[in-house]
Amino acid sequence: MTSPRKPIRKAVFPVAGLGTRFLPATKAIPKELLPIVDRPLIQYAVDEAREAGIEQMIFVTGRGKTAIVEHFDVAYELEATMSERGKDMAILEPTRFTPGDIITVRQQVPLGLGHAIWCARAIVGDEPFAIILPDELMVGTPGCMAQMVEAYNEVGGNLISVLELPREEVSSYGVIDPGETRGALTEVRGLVEKPPVELAPSNKIVSGRYILQPEVMRTLENQEKGAGGEIQLTDAMARMIGQQPFHAVTFNGRRFDCGSKTGFVEATLALALERPDMGAEVRAMAERLLAR
Ligand code: G1P
């Protein structure tokens, strides 16, 4: 029997990063606003959260990142002009929010993902909450967070999304020590951030989606620096294993690592090829380019 659980109403988006891997594109534009075809990365992440029933979006931002908040505001001049010209404004629908449902906090100093999440503690309060890393573009039906919420309704506790990578690639990620597996759910026995390949407990990596209990904020409070000299979310989660249920959900869908340039190009191509309005044209273009 499944017990009633507190619904997941809030999602935290850590978006304070400097985006140095995409310079000079990201000198004046937040990397989260770089578009895959015509939707910025942050829009994909927010849409995924909404599809999962999440209402409040909490952005942990930093200096130079205010354009992200503008993106989800009402653009009065734009809308007035579009409406005068009789243009369809449905395209702006996903950028609209109930007043109060877009919330921002600032992370003043880039001390790591764990620290970024901790910056949202007062807004998260005493509720379980989701975390979405917009760099990881997850494409699926339903989306990754919706799959996780479904799993959460079954098992509760803490959940992370995982996927399998070739072993030699795991050192750039959080890696789980897997226990028993049942369907898409795997028990998490341990977690380690960016281990050397030979010490990695598996090839299942943490892929940027989390549902966590609010106690993680208390754990983060006393968190020491971990891998890369940063305060790591993975380390705080590892300390909660054994105290609360902890499961991994293997995402049924595709993942694009948009934190890397090649992953970004792959996502652009893949999504453009699938679009009814341009797929055929892009395919013909790609074939022409490959034939050269
Ligand atoms: C972060 C997390 C890591 C996770 C990764 C997914 O690392 O710390 O556990 O596997 O995101 O992209 P970062 O990419 O910020 O170094």
Side-chain angles (χ1 to χ4, degrees):
M1 210 180 75
T2 52
S3 55
R5 309 200 185 279
K6 276 196 188 169
I8 309 298
R9 298 188 311 125
K10 302 177 179 182
V12 178
F13 301 82
V15 292
L18 294 174
T20 47
R21 276 197 269 178
F22 282 85
L23 282 171
T26 48
K27 188 179 170 199
I29 297 168
K31 67 172 171 175
E32 295 79 8
L33 288 182
L34 297 179
I36 302 293
V37 188
D38 50 11
R39 265 161 90 197
L41 271 176
I42 190 69
Q43 184 77 60
Y44 288 92
V46 163
D47 291 350
E48 184 187 324
R50 267 183 160 169
E51 184 208 9
I54 292 169
E55 294 151 16
Q56 287 186 4
M57 312 296 159
I58 305 165
F59 298 132
V60 181
T61 68
R63 283 166 58 79
K65 294 289 191 128
T66 41
I68 295 174
V69 187
E70 299 285 336
H71 177 78
F72 293 102
D73 202 351
V74 174
Y76 178 76
E77 297 86 342
L78 176 68
E79 294 193 15
T81 310
M82 283 176 79
S83 115
E84 260 168 39
R85 296 183 185 168
K87 296 226 192 267
D88 183 7
M89 284 194 283
I91 193 86
L92 294 176
E93 206 46 51
T95 69
R96 294 183 204 284
F97 268 86
T98 307
D101 278 352
I102 292 284
I103 302 152
T104 64
V105 285
R106 283 222 182 192
Q107 182 190 28
Q108 292 92 336
V109 195
L111 295 179
L113 178 59
H115 180 259
I117 300 306
W118 180 74
C119 289
R121 67 199 176 284
I123 304 161
V124 165
D126 198 25
E127 287 181 41
F129 65 105
I131 301 171
I132 296 187
L133 311 190
D135 272 3
E136 297 280 353
L137 176 55
M138 306 292 246
V139 180
T141 318
C144 187
M145 190 47 73
Q147 292 181 26
M148 290 183 68
V149 166
E150 196 190 325
Y152 176 78
N153 290 336
E154 194 189 323
V155 292
N158 299 280
L159 286 164
I160 50 180
S161 69
V162 292
L163 48 89
E164 292 188 36
L165 279 190
R167 229 167 212 282
E168 58 279 11
E169 290 174 29
V170 301
S171 301
S172 308
Y173 301 95
V175 181
I176 71 162
D177 179 6
E180 266 175 46
T181 294
R182 186 170 49 89
L185 278 174
T186 301
E187 185 198 338
V188 178
R189 286 208 197 120
L191 275 164
V192 41
E193 182 68 16
K194 301 190 174 69
V197 174
E198 60 281 9
L199 296 181
S202 74
N203 66 340
K204 288 181 192 274
I205 65 129
V206 180
S207 68
R209 302 290 183 274
Y210 312 74
I211 291 178
L212 298 178
Q213 298 300 317
E215 286 77 20
V216 75
M217 294 299 190
R218 247 96 73 198
T219 312
L220 279 168
E221 203 157 287
N222 308 311
Q223 192 66 45
E224 284 170 14
K225 288 180 179 169
E230 296 191 337
I231 297 175
Q232 295 291 353
L233 179 61
T234 302
D235 297 344
M237 294 190 303
R239 283 166 60 188
M240 291 165 71
I241 297 170
Q243 298 173 25
Q244 294 180 340
F246 220 115
H247 290 91
V249 181
T250 302
F251 171 53
N252 179 11
R254 285 172 304 157
R255 168 253 185 180
F256 300 98
D257 174 11
C258 292
S260 86
K261 287 179 231 190
T262 48
F264 192 91
V265 173
E266 185 190 5
T268 305
L269 248 184
L271 297 200
L273 283 168
E274 283 164 22
R275 289 258 301 236
D277 60 339
M278 64 174 78
E281 207 181 323
V282 174
R283 181 171 303 277
M285 245 177 225
E287 280 164 5
R288 267 201 314 275
L289 289 170
L290 287 169
R292 276 160 70 113

